[in-house]
Amino acid sequence: FLWMASTILFSPTPSEAQITPEVIQALQYRPIGPAVMGGRVSDIAVDHSNTSTFYVGTATGGLWKTTNHGASFEPLFDDQAVSSIGDVTLSQGNPNLVWVGTGEPQNRQSSPWGNGVYKSWDGGKTWQHMGLEETHTISRIRIAPQPQAGTVFVAAVGHLWGPNEERGVYRSLNGGNSWEKVLYVDEFTGAIDLVMDPQDPRTLYAAMYQRQRTGYGFNGGGPGSGIYRTMDNGTSWEKLTDGLPDTEMGRIGLDVFAGDGSIVYAIIEAVEGRGVYRSDDRGDTWVKQSDTNPRPMYYSQIRVDPTNNKNIWVLGTSLYLSKDGGATFRSDNTARGIHVDHHSMWIDPRDGNHVILGNDGGIHVTYDQGQNWDHLNHVAIGQFYHVAVGPRRDYWVYGGLQDNGSWGAPQRGPDGRGALNSDWVSL
């Protein structure tokens, strides 16, 4: 997303151009967009008591909130120290209580890191930093479903570019005032996913992921990866293995069926046996459903329809939907009006046809289980890698975006207004 300082014209003689701190401070920035192509969305959280209100976390564009089903959005994180969001979670018992974990948990060379977790008691108007600065990247936050929500769990992936001990699953019993690390494997293995049984919040499942990126390559997998379960509110954990791949695993995604907590799904990257797995006994045993697992190091997201445990979504470059418990999948691509590269999804707990999807093109909504999608392309979250200007008098601004090509627009419209979506041209 581009902001541009107002222009000051100086004499052609450089010595006469007095560029003082006061001059620089007087420059006023104005937004010129764009919003039309969207940008990478990392997470979505919806108020179940009023689904017109939801939050959208982005890879580099901060946190946004709508109270009118997405007709308009308000940025909530512009005054904070970081703009990369890994997870946003709100308390369904008290929807004004919102938690944000910073640092996108993806493995890209360009994935930015954060500085821990934040909490808001007023729906995102004000924020309090709650620590865990050195985690760098946070994949999930889970909070107990009581109004005060004093019990909070944080899944920290940790540093992308090197080892660190500040990774794993953290627990707070006092609303984030203090933290204890309750699940830790080693300095290269972090928690990439964390789900809570909605019927028994003392039962949680964690996906541990061994990874490290370097200047010359990337390792995503190893003996540290695996699925762990706690049934005593995080005090003790056991590694689940029965029916799962017995080779080294990589990234893992998890979900629990809201209607019956004994049904758990996993999407697993492994040397052998990767694919979709299901458990009907809270993870004691697992049965492989299919080989489906598109580009696991970048996605590994699986979602179960809260109204039907046979309807399974898998997020990848394309979007996959199964209606037989993961045995077979239908692939939805851009012909259905959605961008590629899907990273987050929310399914209405009362209506499985209502889905909000986040991908590299922004925010998409469907009310017919993916037959048609509405692209909410009025949120300015485009991710620019480089910016340049053209030589004409009323100059244009150009830039290359993450996964959205190169675009250009005039720095102002013919009537003096700022650039609109319609002014931006794809190159």
Side-chain angles (χ1 to χ4, degrees):
F1 178 56
L2 294 184
W3 291 75
M4 188 189 72
S6 55
T7 304
I8 296 179
L9 299 179
F10 296 110
S11 163
T13 303
S15 62
E16 296 179 5
Q18 300 300 316
I19 305 177
T20 65
E22 290 76 17
V23 170
I24 298 299
Q25 189 175 9
L27 291 174
Q28 298 297 314
Y29 278 86
R30 58 184 174 88
I32 62 172
V36 62
M37 74 290 293
R40 189 159 72 249
V41 169
S42 55
D43 199 29
I44 298 166
V46 183
D47 180 355
H48 293 175
S49 65
N50 178 15
T51 57
S52 65
T53 296
F54 61 90
Y55 298 79
V56 176
T58 66
T60 59
L63 179 71
W64 298 75
K65 178 182 180 180
T66 179
T67 58
N68 51 24
H69 291 286
S72 62
F73 284 85
E74 174 189 7
L76 300 180
F77 229 62
D78 287 359
D79 294 332
Q80 305 309 315
V82 294
S83 62
S84 178
I85 307 298
D87 180 270
V88 53
T89 299
L90 57 86
S91 169
Q92 298 302 335
N94 177 11
N96 285 321
L97 174 56
V98 186
W99 281 85
V100 166
T102 62
E104 182 196 20
Q106 302 299 356
N107 302 312
R108 302 185 63 90
Q109 300 95 322
S110 58
S111 292
W113 59 80
N115 69 344
V117 291
Y118 291 76
K119 179 173 71 172
S120 173
W121 283 103
D122 52 16
K125 294 178 182 178
T126 59
W127 296 95
Q128 180 181 1
H129 186 248
M130 304 305 295
L132 302 180
E133 292 91 340
E134 284 302 313
T135 56
H136 268 206
T137 52
I138 292 174
S139 60
R140 291 285 183 264
I141 300 175
R142 301 299 181 192
I143 55 181
Q146 71 268 22
Q148 295 305 313
T151 301
V152 185
F153 292 89
V154 172
V157 194
H159 292 198
L160 174 61
W161 292 90
N164 75 308
E165 295 186 355
E166 294 83 4
R167 61 173 92 223
V169 177
Y170 289 82
R171 180 183 68 180
S172 175
L173 299 177
N174 53 19
N177 292 322
S178 62
W179 299 94
E180 56 180 326
K181 187 162 51 177
V182 294
L183 178 59
Y184 176 74
V185 175
D186 58 50
E187 60 185 359
F188 292 103
T189 304
I192 191 64
D193 207 352
L194 183 68
V195 293
M196 177 182 287
D197 184 341
Q199 298 177 337
D200 177 17
R202 294 176 59 84
T203 297
L204 297 94
Y205 304 83
M208 303 301 288
Y209 181 32
Q210 181 176 329
R211 69 166 192 178
Q212 184 185 10
R213 180 171 283 284
T214 68
Y216 55 84
F218 170 69
N219 174 62
S225 297
I227 302 176
Y228 291 76
R229 179 186 64 188
T230 178
M231 303 181 77
D232 57 7
N233 203 39
T235 300
S236 62
W237 297 79
E238 61 178 318
K239 188 174 183 179
L240 307 177
T241 59
D242 192 347
L244 297 177
D246 56 7
T247 60
E248 289 187 355
M249 292 184 282
R251 185 167 178 171
I252 300 168
L254 300 168
D255 202 11
V256 179
F257 177 50
D260 181 355
S262 63
I263 300 175
V264 187
Y265 278 89
I267 186 165
I268 298 175
E269 177 184 22
V271 175
E272 295 180 5
R274 83 177 198 177
V276 174
Y277 287 76
R278 171 174 166 142
S279 173
D280 290 306
D281 52 15
R282 298 183 184 274
D284 287 339
T285 60
W286 298 81
V287 177
K288 185 178 180 181
Q289 305 299 299
S290 69
D291 295 330
T292 303
N293 193 351
R295 199 184 177 195
M297 61 79 63
Y298 196 36
Y299 307 110
S300 291
Q301 303 291 328
I302 188 167
R303 296 291 182 271
V304 185
D305 183 340
T307 66
N308 186 338
N309 70 81
K310 294 293 185 179
N311 293 340
I312 311 299
W313 295 85
V314 165
L315 281 62
T317 304
S318 296
L319 192 60
Y320 299 82
L321 174 61
S322 172
K323 295 190 175 183
D324 54 14
T328 60
F329 283 86
R330 179 191 77 199
S331 175
D332 288 337
N333 54 31
T334 53
R336 294 183 180 271
I338 54 176
H339 197 278
V340 296
D341 291 344
H342 308 288
H343 300 289
S344 58
M345 174 180 282
W346 171 84
I347 307 173
D348 194 325
R350 293 182 292 271
D351 178 9
N353 293 315
H354 178 203
V355 178
I356 304 176
L357 175 68
N359 55 35
D360 278 16
I363 311 158
H364 299 73
V365 182
T366 181
Y367 292 91
D368 56 13
Q369 204 179 52
Q371 295 298 317
N372 299 278
W373 294 90
D374 182 20
H375 184 196
L376 306 183
N377 63 342
H378 50 274
V379 190
I381 53 175
Q383 296 174 266
F384 280 90
Y385 281 127
H386 300 282
V387 192
V389 295
R392 68 179 75 178
R393 177 179 176 85
D394 286 330
Y395 61 89
W396 278 48
V397 182
Y398 303 92
L401 292 97
Q402 156 60 28
D403 207 28
N404 279 288
S406 297
W407 293 70
Q411 55 90 12
R412 61 180 179 183
D415 57 359
R417 57 167 169 75
L420 304 179
N421 270 357
S422 56
D423 293 320
W424 284 85
V425 177
S426 174
L427 306 180

